[in-house]
Amino acid sequence: MKADTRSGTGDPMDGFDTTIHAPNRLRICALLDTAGEAEFAVVQEQLDVSASVLSKHVTVLMEAGYVEQRKAVRNTRQRVWLRLTPGGRQAYQAHLAALRAIVGP
Amino acid sequence: METDEAIRPTPQQARATLAELERVQASTAALSATPWPRWFATVLTLYIAAIPPVYGGMTASTQWLLPKSAWSTVLVLATAGYLALFAFAAATWRKKTGVALRLDVLPKRATLPLAIGLPALLIGAVVAFRSTGQPAWLFAASGIGAAVSIAFHRAFVRLHRKTA
């Protein structure tokens, strides 16, 4: 999506989001935006981070209302599935638009 | 939504960040493009191949090979069996990949003609059979439908290998 056409009003830079911009949080958002929903262990493996680091970033994103989790049992063990909320998806797309605006044409 | 001029990246940093996001997206897309297991691709192919003759038998103006009620029973059983196996395959696929099942992974230029063309082919063959009484229409549609199903499975396999 082109930055300056994402919204008919306002500066694309308005979408720059410091909560999302932290590298691991941005990668989490990118993964969840592409996958739709992903298991915690898969996110951890794809991003090559420890469970505690991922958990910390997911907590921040959940507190911002950008990510939600769903718990499901698999092979008698509880698994956590993560996905972007509609607000989270919108914020991520707005942040992408801001990054593209920074890069320029 | 927070904004902070102090932490805004430079154009070079923003470009590097976007490149890293593309890498994450490509890697995730490879997971989403994981093909169905071969057994389910076979089930899907058989189901598609079965539709024209079964539907043709159901809607034939005169009885064709089996009573119409028998064709209807075959269709109901085949559909119920297919849906049950689809639910099982989808659940297994999700457990294996750890990501949501998405049906929009293949490019639209491939899936859109399929979404329109395959039903048109299957139903069109039944209409042609009713008009002409020639079962060759049904078997031809069966064969083409099966070939399309196999081709799409292979496309998924290639896409998965390419993006993995």
Side-chain angles (χ1 to χ4, degrees):
Chain A
M1 194 181 304
K2 199 170 165 59
D4 55 359
T5 59
R6 187 186 65 80
S7 167
T9 59
D11 183 351
M13 287 309 298
D14 291 345
F16 192 90
D17 192 314
T18 53
T19 302
I20 289 179
H21 189 66
N24 280 326
R25 292 202 283 272
L26 193 49
R27 293 163 73 212
I28 291 168
C29 290
L31 189 153
L32 296 179
D33 186 52
T34 306
E37 189 180 37
E39 202 177 306
F40 186 94
V42 169
V43 180
Q44 189 190 335
E45 186 185 338
Q46 291 284 312
L47 270 49
D48 195 23
V49 293
S50 68
S52 60
V53 166
L54 178 59
S55 184
K56 188 181 79 176
H57 288 299
V58 166
T59 301
V60 172
L61 289 168
M62 285 177 64
E63 283 171 357
Y66 292 165
V67 166
E68 58 192 2
Q69 67 176 28
R70 177 176 65 83
K71 290 178 179 167
V73 176
R74 172 179 148 200
N75 298 335
T76 70
R77 293 182 61 187
Q78 196 174 60
R79 308 285 174 152
V80 174
W81 285 75
L82 304 169
R83 67 176 164 213
L84 288 177
T85 62
R89 192 172 300 276
Q90 196 175 7
Y92 170 66
Q93 294 297 339
H95 188 76
L96 275 188
L99 288 176
R100 288 178 185 138
I102 291 170
V103 170
Chain B
M1 196 176 291
E2 304 169 56
T3 56
D4 185 349
E5 292 289 342
I7 69 142
R8 281 187 185 176
T10 63
Q12 289 81 3
Q13 288 170 329
R15 191 174 293 114
T17 301
L18 287 170
E20 167 63 8
L21 294 183
E22 278 180 22
R23 191 198 61 74
V24 172
Q25 286 167 338
S27 163
T28 309
L31 273 178
S32 297
T34 301
W36 290 114
R38 196 170 290 174
W39 70 263
F40 184 71
T42 306
V43 167
L44 179 60
T45 300
L46 291 175
Y47 181 69
I48 289 172
I51 289 174
V54 173
Y55 198 52
M58 268 176 64
T59 57
S61 47
T62 56
Q63 181 177 314
W64 180 62
L65 299 179
L66 293 173
K68 287 185 182 183
S69 58
W71 284 118
S72 301
T73 306
V74 169
L75 183 67
V76 168
L77 290 177
T79 303
Y82 167 73
L83 291 176
L85 291 172
F86 173 76
F88 175 74
T92 307
W93 188 95
R94 278 172 57 88
K95 282 179 191 168
K96 180 185 164 196
T97 61
V99 294
L101 176 62
R102 298 185 70 157
L103 301 175
D104 57 350
V105 177
L106 285 178
K108 276 204 175 70
R109 67 176 185 279
T111 52
L112 200 60
L114 178 78
I116 297 166
L118 194 58
L121 170 78
L122 301 179
I123 303 301
V126 172
V127 172
F129 169 65
R130 270 181 63 96
S131 313
T132 64
Q134 292 293 323
W137 287 104
L138 302 177
F139 297 124
S142 253
I144 295 169
V148 169
S149 172
I150 292 166
F152 261 74
H153 179 67
R154 286 185 170 179
F156 259 102
V157 171
R158 273 199 303 273
L159 183 68
H160 182 63
R161 282 189 190 143
K162 186 177 156 191
T163 50

